Amino acid sequence: ISFVDVYADLDRQHPTRSGTEFKDKIVLIGTDATSLNDRKATPIASEYAGMDMLATAIDNLKNHQSMRAAQPWHSCVFFLLSMAAILVCFMRRIHALRIALGLTLFTLVCGVTSYVALSHLFLIPVLAPFILLWSYFFALALHDYWQVEQSYQATLKEFGRYVNPHVVKKWI
């Protein structure tokens, strides 16, 4: 309700508004002018009015609608188990591309699950664990590549002593 309408109604000899219209209600009086620099960036919009943020906060407190976050140790256990699974895959000599494909699918499923949980006011932080998981994957993949490259160079060196090195490169 606009403050101007309420104020104008109070000046009338016969008000059109009920005298109990604001009884047992929370009333916020404020402005929504952009020139007052009361607009802030929020996850909802790039510019959000301060009055709207205050009204939303009061409404959430009044209706007990607050965001619940997963316990911090859940992320640690999730990360350690995922890290162990990636290590087992590399130890079993599963191709790095297949591991990357599985990790991509796993990342998408967890991202969608986190997004759906937000609609139920439950926050599941997945960004930091996945940044760490992908970094761990790339480190293991690089280590695996380095080992294969060393084996390749050792094979070239060994056979190159007996056979023409150009012929060995074609064989391998």
Side-chain angles (χ1 to χ4, degrees), residues 2 15 29 34 37 48 57 59 62 67 69 74 76 89 93 102-103 109 113 116 119 128 130 150 172:
S2 174
I29 300 174
T34 54
N37 295 325
Y48 207 68
D59 184 60
K62 187 180 112 195
M67 184 80 67
H74 288 156
C76 290
C89 289
R93 308 298 299 162
L103 189 56
V109 167
T113 302
V116 169
S119 66
F130 275 109
Q150 280 185 331
I172 301 176

Side-chain angles (χ1 to χ4, degrees), residues 4 12 25-26 32 43 46 49 59 62 71-72 79 92 99 103-104 107 109-110 114 136 143 149 153 158 162 170:
V4 173
R12 291 186 186 139
K25 302 248 172 34
I26 298 173
D32 193 17
S46 61
D59 184 60
K62 187 180 112 195
Q71 295 295 324
F79 171 68
R92 290 188 177 180
I99 299 171
L103 189 56
T104 301
T107 302
V109 167
C110 289
S114 176
Y136 182 65
H143 181 265
E149 183 65 24
Q153 293 299 328
E158 186 66 33
Y162 307 109
K170 288 183 181 179

Side-chain angles (χ1 to χ4, degrees), residues 37-42 45-50 53:
N37 295 325
D38 192 26
R39 297 201 168 276
K40 306 292 181 209
T42 66
S46 61
E47 284 191 358
Y48 207 68
M53 289 192 317

Side-chain angles (χ1 to χ4, degrees), residues 73-94:
W73 64 270
H74 288 156
S75 290
C76 290
V77 170
F78 168 78
F79 171 68
L80 291 174
L81 288 175
S82 301
M83 200 167 85
I86 292 171
L87 181 62
V88 166
C89 289
F90 272 102
M91 289 175 67
R92 290 188 177 180
R93 308 298 299 162
I94 296 174

